Amino acid sequence: MSSENSSQSPEQQLRKPRVAVVFGGRSSEHAISVVTAGAVLRSIDRTKYDVLPIGITTDGRWALTADDPERMAIADRTLPSVEGIAESTDGGVVLSVDPGNREVLYSEPGSVPKALGEVDVVFPVLHGPYGEDGTLQGLLELSGVPYVGAGVLASAVGQDKEYMKRVFTSFGLPVGPYLVIRPREWERASGEGTAAEGALARGKIMDFAAEHGWPLFVKPARAGSSMGITKVDGPEGLDGAIAEARRHDPKILIESLLRGREIECGVLEFEDGPRASVPAEIPPVTAHDFYDFEAKYIDSATGLVPAPLTEEQTAEVRRLAVEAFEAVSCEGLVRADFFLTEDGEFVINEINTMPGFTPISMYPRMWQESGVGYPELVDRLIQAALRRPTGLR
């Protein structure tokens, strides 16, 4: 966006900045996005900002929702949804793609569209495809509206674990062994192609297992919140694990087991550049085979903050977290996940360009321990977005 478009009008300077919190979405992480939005809405300083909550339903409709964080929490192991808090089952929110017009409209069938006012910044707390993967960010770039978090490319790379790992490798960051099975390969392996094609795909997986050993982790290449991940102890569990991963994404990733400790570190954009938080450790979860969705969100498994590391280890993981942030050209925030292997080396597993902000999420907990409380964290992210122009930068 040009400098003249990024400057505020006199009317904008007289009112509080308006923040549209956009959440929900079409991915399998819909419910966690709703929970995250509830926590963000609860913490935004209403004396400093006007707030407009906009939910995206599971079928992609943009809806006005109640500004009611209490209805956006997990209750009695029941996950919330945008459909449950939408003000109308028929009405929809429309954001202009004209970069000179930040007006938001609301329309219902048979009615004249209603203007909801201009939006100054969008806080997109969507997780997974159709929101965290650069698609929403591209829409906001076309609309000329600043937004919290990574841009189009960084969001896309941060969502696709294959290309994320390729970028890390090109920057010299340590990455564990992995194998990618693309949609056509497995479809052929499942009987839609020739026997030779099917044998080739299965053979790749068996060769990977022969080299790196069982168990393997089978996961969707472009999902988060531990959705669709299965730990596979032998060949007999492979087909079921791949079917589960492909429910979330037709492209799958197979990773070897890295024996060691799970360490996380948050990165936040300050005025002088990105800084890393104190790290956290995810201890072994005895009630679960690994740190899966239920352990994270339903059974509220908690991490150790700060992680019990040496000063040298703490400094190293913080350095690597900022390097990962810079390698992918991220903005705003990132949670970087590592393994500290048995030989004392850090291996980066992945980054999350829009980590969870639920009350039990590790990202805000790490920053709380680093001296940045939840309300200040939310404010810093909004201010960083307002400082940045849209467009090439």
Short mmCIF file of all heavy atoms in Angstrom, two decimals, residues 155-203:
data_model
loop_
_atom_site.label_atom_id
_atom_site.label_comp_id
_atom_site.label_asym_id
_atom_site.label_seq_id
_atom_site.Cartn_x
_atom_site.Cartn_y
_atom_site.Cartn_z
N SER A 155 3.21 -16.83 6.07
CA SER A 155 2.08 -17.62 6.54
C SER A 155 1.97 -18.93 5.78
O SER A 155 1.72 -20.00 6.37
CB SER A 155 0.78 -16.83 6.40
OG SER A 155 0.78 -15.68 7.22
N ALA A 156 2.15 -18.88 4.46
CA ALA A 156 2.06 -20.10 3.65
C ALA A 156 3.18 -21.07 3.99
O ALA A 156 2.95 -22.28 4.16
CB ALA A 156 2.10 -19.74 2.17
N VAL A 157 4.39 -20.56 4.11
CA VAL A 157 5.52 -21.43 4.45
C VAL A 157 5.36 -21.98 5.86
O VAL A 157 5.64 -23.16 6.12
CB VAL A 157 6.86 -20.65 4.31
CG1 VAL A 157 8.02 -21.46 4.87
CG2 VAL A 157 7.11 -20.28 2.86
N GLY A 158 4.89 -21.14 6.78
CA GLY A 158 4.71 -21.59 8.15
C GLY A 158 3.61 -22.63 8.31
O GLY A 158 3.58 -23.35 9.30
N GLN A 159 2.70 -22.70 7.34
CA GLN A 159 1.62 -23.68 7.41
C GLN A 159 2.01 -25.01 6.80
O GLN A 159 1.56 -26.07 7.23
CB GLN A 159 0.38 -23.15 6.69
CG GLN A 159 -0.87 -24.00 6.83
CD GLN A 159 -1.36 -24.07 8.26
OE1 GLN A 159 -1.41 -23.07 8.95
NE2 GLN A 159 -1.72 -25.25 8.70
N ASP A 160 2.86 -24.98 5.77
CA ASP A 160 3.22 -26.19 5.04
C ASP A 160 4.53 -26.74 5.60
O ASP A 160 5.61 -26.19 5.36
CB ASP A 160 3.36 -25.88 3.55
CG ASP A 160 3.48 -27.13 2.70
OD1 ASP A 160 4.29 -28.02 3.05
OD2 ASP A 160 2.78 -27.22 1.67
N LYS A 161 4.44 -27.83 6.36
CA LYS A 161 5.61 -28.33 7.07
C LYS A 161 6.72 -28.78 6.14
O LYS A 161 7.90 -28.76 6.51
CB LYS A 161 5.19 -29.47 8.01
CG LYS A 161 4.26 -29.02 9.13
CD LYS A 161 3.83 -30.20 9.99
CE LYS A 161 2.97 -29.74 11.17
NZ LYS A 161 1.70 -29.13 10.73
N GLU A 162 6.38 -29.23 4.94
CA GLU A 162 7.43 -29.61 3.99
C GLU A 162 8.28 -28.41 3.62
O GLU A 162 9.51 -28.44 3.75
CB GLU A 162 6.83 -30.21 2.72
CG GLU A 162 7.90 -30.49 1.67
CD GLU A 162 7.36 -30.79 0.29
OE1 GLU A 162 6.13 -30.79 0.10
OE2 GLU A 162 8.19 -31.01 -0.61
N TYR A 163 7.65 -27.33 3.16
CA TYR A 163 8.42 -26.18 2.69
C TYR A 163 9.03 -25.40 3.85
O TYR A 163 10.08 -24.76 3.71
CB TYR A 163 7.55 -25.30 1.79
CG TYR A 163 7.29 -26.01 0.48
CD1 TYR A 163 6.10 -26.68 0.26
CD2 TYR A 163 8.28 -26.08 -0.49
CE1 TYR A 163 5.88 -27.38 -0.92
CE2 TYR A 163 8.07 -26.76 -1.67
CZ TYR A 163 6.87 -27.41 -1.89
OH TYR A 163 6.68 -28.11 -3.05
N MET A 164 8.40 -25.46 5.01
CA MET A 164 9.00 -24.88 6.20
C MET A 164 10.36 -25.54 6.47
O MET A 164 11.37 -24.86 6.69
CB MET A 164 8.07 -25.09 7.40
CG MET A 164 8.57 -24.54 8.71
SD MET A 164 7.71 -25.28 10.14
CE MET A 164 6.00 -25.03 9.71
N LYS A 165 10.38 -26.86 6.42
CA LYS A 165 11.63 -27.57 6.69
C LYS A 165 12.66 -27.30 5.60
O LYS A 165 13.86 -27.23 5.86
CB LYS A 165 11.35 -29.07 6.82
CG LYS A 165 10.57 -29.44 8.08
CD LYS A 165 10.24 -30.92 8.12
CE LYS A 165 9.36 -31.28 9.31
NZ LYS A 165 10.06 -31.18 10.60
N ARG A 166 12.21 -27.16 4.35
CA ARG A 166 13.14 -26.84 3.28
C ARG A 166 13.78 -25.47 3.50
O ARG A 166 14.98 -25.28 3.25
CB ARG A 166 12.41 -26.88 1.93
CG ARG A 166 12.01 -28.29 1.48
CD ARG A 166 11.32 -28.26 0.13
NE ARG A 166 10.90 -29.58 -0.29
CZ ARG A 166 11.66 -30.44 -0.97
NH1 ARG A 166 12.91 -30.08 -1.29
NH2 ARG A 166 11.21 -31.62 -1.33
N VAL A 167 12.99 -24.50 3.95
CA VAL A 167 13.54 -23.17 4.23
C VAL A 167 14.52 -23.25 5.40
O VAL A 167 15.63 -22.68 5.34
CB VAL A 167 12.40 -22.16 4.53
CG1 VAL A 167 12.98 -20.86 5.08
CG2 VAL A 167 11.60 -21.88 3.27
N PHE A 168 14.14 -23.95 6.47
CA PHE A 168 15.05 -24.09 7.61
C PHE A 168 16.39 -24.68 7.16
O PHE A 168 17.46 -24.20 7.55
CB PHE A 168 14.43 -24.98 8.68
CG PHE A 168 13.28 -24.37 9.42
CD1 PHE A 168 12.33 -25.18 10.05
CD2 PHE A 168 13.11 -23.00 9.50
CE1 PHE A 168 11.27 -24.63 10.75
CE2 PHE A 168 12.06 -22.44 10.19
CZ PHE A 168 11.13 -23.27 10.81
N THR A 169 16.32 -25.74 6.36
CA THR A 169 17.55 -26.40 5.90
C THR A 169 18.41 -25.44 5.10
O THR A 169 19.64 -25.40 5.25
CB THR A 169 17.19 -27.64 5.06
OG1 THR A 169 16.43 -28.55 5.86
CG2 THR A 169 18.45 -28.35 4.59
N SER A 170 17.77 -24.63 4.24
CA SER A 170 18.54 -23.71 3.40
C SER A 170 19.24 -22.64 4.23
O SER A 170 20.24 -22.07 3.79
CB SER A 170 17.62 -23.05 2.36
OG SER A 170 16.75 -22.12 2.96
N PHE A 171 18.71 -22.35 5.43
CA PHE A 171 19.34 -21.37 6.32
C PHE A 171 20.25 -22.03 7.36
O PHE A 171 20.73 -21.36 8.28
CB PHE A 171 18.27 -20.54 7.02
CG PHE A 171 17.76 -19.38 6.19
CD1 PHE A 171 16.78 -19.58 5.23
CD2 PHE A 171 18.27 -18.10 6.35
CE1 PHE A 171 16.31 -18.53 4.45
CE2 PHE A 171 17.81 -17.05 5.58
CZ PHE A 171 16.83 -17.26 4.62
N GLY A 172 20.46 -23.31 7.23
CA GLY A 172 21.39 -23.99 8.12
C GLY A 172 20.83 -24.36 9.48
O GLY A 172 21.59 -24.72 10.39
N LEU A 173 19.49 -24.30 9.63
CA LEU A 173 18.89 -24.70 10.90
C LEU A 173 18.76 -26.22 10.94
O LEU A 173 18.41 -26.85 9.93
CB LEU A 173 17.51 -24.05 11.06
CG LEU A 173 17.53 -22.53 11.29
CD1 LEU A 173 16.18 -21.93 11.00
CD2 LEU A 173 17.95 -22.22 12.72
N PRO A 174 19.00 -26.83 12.09
CA PRO A 174 18.97 -28.30 12.18
C PRO A 174 17.55 -28.85 12.14
O PRO A 174 16.69 -28.42 12.90
CB PRO A 174 19.63 -28.57 13.54
CG PRO A 174 19.38 -27.32 14.34
CD PRO A 174 19.38 -26.19 13.37
N VAL A 175 17.30 -29.79 11.23
CA VAL A 175 15.98 -30.38 11.02
C VAL A 175 16.09 -31.90 11.12
O VAL A 175 17.06 -32.49 10.63
CB VAL A 175 15.41 -29.98 9.64
CG1 VAL A 175 14.13 -30.71 9.33
CG2 VAL A 175 15.19 -28.47 9.58
N GLY A 176 15.11 -32.57 11.71
CA GLY A 176 15.10 -34.01 11.83
C GLY A 176 14.70 -34.70 10.54
O GLY A 176 14.19 -34.06 9.61
N PRO A 177 14.90 -36.01 10.44
CA PRO A 177 14.54 -36.76 9.22
C PRO A 177 13.03 -36.74 8.97
O PRO A 177 12.23 -36.86 9.90
CB PRO A 177 15.01 -38.19 9.53
CG PRO A 177 16.01 -38.04 10.64
CD PRO A 177 15.54 -36.86 11.45
N TYR A 178 12.64 -36.58 7.71
CA TYR A 178 11.22 -36.57 7.36
C TYR A 178 11.04 -37.05 5.93
O TYR A 178 11.99 -37.08 5.13
CB TYR A 178 10.62 -35.17 7.51
CG TYR A 178 11.10 -34.16 6.51
CD1 TYR A 178 10.38 -33.87 5.35
CD2 TYR A 178 12.31 -33.48 6.71
CE1 TYR A 178 10.83 -32.94 4.42
CE2 TYR A 178 12.76 -32.54 5.78
CZ TYR A 178 12.03 -32.28 4.65
OH TYR A 178 12.47 -31.36 3.73
N LEU A 179 9.83 -37.43 5.60
CA LEU A 179 9.47 -37.90 4.27
C LEU A 179 8.11 -37.31 3.92
O LEU A 179 7.22 -37.27 4.77
CB LEU A 179 9.40 -39.43 4.25
CG LEU A 179 8.88 -40.10 2.97
CD1 LEU A 179 9.88 -39.92 1.83
CD2 LEU A 179 8.62 -41.58 3.22
N VAL A 180 7.94 -36.85 2.69
CA VAL A 180 6.66 -36.30 2.23
C VAL A 180 6.02 -37.28 1.26
O VAL A 180 6.68 -37.79 0.35
CB VAL A 180 6.88 -34.94 1.53
CG1 VAL A 180 5.55 -34.40 0.99
CG2 VAL A 180 7.51 -33.94 2.49
N ILE A 181 4.73 -37.55 1.46
CA ILE A 181 3.95 -38.33 0.52
C ILE A 181 2.86 -37.43 -0.03
O ILE A 181 1.97 -36.99 0.72
CB ILE A 181 3.33 -39.58 1.18
CG1 ILE A 181 4.42 -40.49 1.76
CG2 ILE A 181 2.47 -40.35 0.17
CD1 ILE A 181 5.33 -41.12 0.72
N ARG A 182 2.94 -37.13 -1.32
CA ARG A 182 1.97 -36.25 -1.94
C ARG A 182 0.70 -37.00 -2.32
O ARG A 182 0.70 -38.22 -2.39
CB ARG A 182 2.60 -35.56 -3.15
CG ARG A 182 3.68 -34.57 -2.74
CD ARG A 182 4.27 -33.84 -3.94
NE ARG A 182 5.09 -32.73 -3.45
CZ ARG A 182 6.32 -32.86 -2.98
NH1 ARG A 182 6.87 -34.06 -2.93
NH2 ARG A 182 6.99 -31.80 -2.53
N PRO A 183 -0.40 -36.26 -2.56
CA PRO A 183 -1.69 -36.92 -2.78
C PRO A 183 -1.67 -38.00 -3.85
O PRO A 183 -2.16 -39.11 -3.62
CB PRO A 183 -2.60 -35.75 -3.18
CG PRO A 183 -1.99 -34.56 -2.52
CD PRO A 183 -0.53 -34.79 -2.54
N ARG A 184 -1.09 -37.73 -5.01
CA ARG A 184 -1.12 -38.71 -6.10
C ARG A 184 -0.38 -39.98 -5.72
O ARG A 184 -0.77 -41.08 -6.11
CB ARG A 184 -0.52 -38.11 -7.36
CG ARG A 184 -1.36 -37.02 -8.00
CD ARG A 184 -0.68 -36.51 -9.27
NE ARG A 184 -1.34 -35.31 -9.77
CZ ARG A 184 -0.86 -34.58 -10.77
NH1 ARG A 184 0.28 -34.94 -11.36
NH2 ARG A 184 -1.50 -33.51 -11.19
N GLU A 185 0.72 -39.82 -4.98
CA GLU A 185 1.51 -40.99 -4.60
C GLU A 185 0.68 -41.97 -3.78
O GLU A 185 0.70 -43.18 -4.02
CB GLU A 185 2.75 -40.57 -3.82
CG GLU A 185 3.76 -39.79 -4.61
CD GLU A 185 4.95 -39.40 -3.74
OE1 GLU A 185 4.86 -38.37 -3.03
OE2 GLU A 185 5.95 -40.12 -3.77
N TRP A 186 -0.04 -41.44 -2.78
CA TRP A 186 -0.79 -42.35 -1.92
C TRP A 186 -2.04 -42.87 -2.60
O TRP A 186 -2.48 -43.99 -2.37
CB TRP A 186 -1.15 -41.71 -0.59
CG TRP A 186 -1.69 -42.75 0.35
CD1 TRP A 186 -2.96 -42.86 0.81
CD2 TRP A 186 -0.97 -43.83 0.92
NE1 TRP A 186 -3.08 -43.96 1.62
CE2 TRP A 186 -1.87 -44.57 1.71
CE3 TRP A 186 0.36 -44.27 0.82
CZ2 TRP A 186 -1.49 -45.72 2.41
CZ3 TRP A 186 0.74 -45.40 1.53
CH2 TRP A 186 -0.17 -46.10 2.30
N GLU A 187 -2.64 -42.05 -3.45
CA GLU A 187 -3.81 -42.52 -4.19
C GLU A 187 -3.42 -43.69 -5.09
O GLU A 187 -4.16 -44.66 -5.23
CB GLU A 187 -4.40 -41.37 -5.02
CG GLU A 187 -5.11 -40.34 -4.14
CD GLU A 187 -5.29 -38.99 -4.83
OE1 GLU A 187 -4.97 -38.90 -6.04
OE2 GLU A 187 -5.75 -38.05 -4.15
N ARG A 188 -2.23 -43.62 -5.69
CA ARG A 188 -1.75 -44.75 -6.47
C ARG A 188 -1.46 -45.95 -5.57
O ARG A 188 -1.75 -47.09 -5.91
CB ARG A 188 -0.48 -44.34 -7.23
CG ARG A 188 -0.74 -43.33 -8.34
CD ARG A 188 0.57 -42.72 -8.82
NE ARG A 188 0.34 -41.75 -9.87
CZ ARG A 188 1.25 -40.86 -10.27
NH1 ARG A 188 2.42 -40.81 -9.66
NH2 ARG A 188 0.98 -40.02 -11.25
N ALA A 189 -0.89 -45.65 -4.40
CA ALA A 189 -0.57 -46.73 -3.46
C ALA A 189 -1.84 -47.41 -2.95
O ALA A 189 -1.80 -48.56 -2.53
CB ALA A 189 0.23 -46.19 -2.28
N SER A 190 -2.97 -46.70 -3.01
CA SER A 190 -4.22 -47.24 -2.49
C SER A 190 -5.04 -47.94 -3.57
O SER A 190 -6.20 -48.26 -3.36
CB SER A 190 -5.05 -46.10 -1.88
OG SER A 190 -4.31 -45.47 -0.86
N GLY A 191 -4.45 -48.13 -4.74
CA GLY A 191 -5.12 -48.93 -5.75
C GLY A 191 -5.65 -48.18 -6.94
O GLY A 191 -6.24 -48.79 -7.83
N GLU A 192 -5.47 -46.86 -6.99
CA GLU A 192 -5.98 -46.09 -8.12
C GLU A 192 -4.99 -46.04 -9.29
O GLU A 192 -5.33 -45.59 -10.36
CB GLU A 192 -6.34 -44.67 -7.67
CG GLU A 192 -7.44 -44.65 -6.62
CD GLU A 192 -7.78 -43.25 -6.17
OE1 GLU A 192 -7.50 -42.30 -6.92
OE2 GLU A 192 -8.32 -43.10 -5.06
N GLY A 193 -3.77 -46.48 -9.06
CA GLY A 193 -2.78 -46.54 -10.13
C GLY A 193 -2.34 -47.97 -10.36
O GLY A 193 -3.00 -48.92 -9.98
N THR A 194 -1.17 -48.12 -10.97
CA THR A 194 -0.66 -49.46 -11.24
C THR A 194 -0.04 -50.05 -9.99
O THR A 194 0.27 -49.35 -9.02
CB THR A 194 0.40 -49.41 -12.35
OG1 THR A 194 1.54 -48.69 -11.85
CG2 THR A 194 -0.14 -48.71 -13.59
N ALA A 195 0.16 -51.34 -10.00
CA ALA A 195 0.78 -52.01 -8.85
C ALA A 195 2.19 -51.47 -8.61
O ALA A 195 2.63 -51.31 -7.47
CB ALA A 195 0.82 -53.52 -9.09
N ALA A 196 2.89 -51.16 -9.73
CA ALA A 196 4.25 -50.63 -9.58
C ALA A 196 4.25 -49.28 -8.90
O ALA A 196 5.09 -48.98 -8.04
CB ALA A 196 4.91 -50.53 -10.96
N GLU A 197 3.27 -48.41 -9.24
CA GLU A 197 3.18 -47.09 -8.62
C GLU A 197 2.88 -47.21 -7.13
O GLU A 197 3.45 -46.52 -6.30
CB GLU A 197 2.09 -46.26 -9.31
CG GLU A 197 2.48 -45.81 -10.72
CD GLU A 197 1.32 -45.21 -11.46
OE1 GLU A 197 0.16 -45.60 -11.18
OE2 GLU A 197 1.54 -44.35 -12.33
N GLY A 198 1.95 -48.12 -6.79
CA GLY A 198 1.61 -48.33 -5.38
C GLY A 198 2.79 -48.84 -4.59
O GLY A 198 3.06 -48.41 -3.47
N ALA A 199 3.53 -49.77 -5.17
CA ALA A 199 4.68 -50.33 -4.48
C ALA A 199 5.74 -49.26 -4.25
O ALA A 199 6.44 -49.26 -3.24
CB ALA A 199 5.26 -51.48 -5.29
N LEU A 200 5.85 -48.30 -5.18
CA LEU A 200 6.85 -47.25 -5.04
C LEU A 200 6.56 -46.38 -3.83
O LEU A 200 7.46 -46.07 -3.03
CB LEU A 200 6.87 -46.40 -6.31
CG LEU A 200 7.90 -45.25 -6.33
CD1 LEU A 200 9.31 -45.81 -6.24
CD2 LEU A 200 7.73 -44.41 -7.60
N ALA A 201 5.30 -45.96 -3.63
CA ALA A 201 4.96 -45.11 -2.49
C ALA A 201 5.15 -45.86 -1.18
O ALA A 201 5.75 -45.33 -0.23
CB ALA A 201 3.51 -44.64 -2.61
N ARG A 202 4.64 -47.08 -1.10
CA ARG A 202 4.83 -47.85 0.14
C ARG A 202 6.30 -48.17 0.37
O ARG A 202 6.77 -48.18 1.51
CB ARG A 202 4.01 -49.14 0.07
CG ARG A 202 2.52 -48.91 0.12
CD ARG A 202 1.75 -50.21 0.07
NE ARG A 202 0.32 -49.95 0.04
CZ ARG A 202 -0.41 -49.70 1.11
NH1 ARG A 202 0.16 -49.68 2.30
NH2 ARG A 202 -1.71 -49.46 1.02
N GLY A 203 7.00 -48.41 -0.73
CA GLY A 203 8.42 -48.70 -0.59
C GLY A 203 9.20 -47.54 -0.01
O GLY A 203 10.13 -47.73 0.78
#
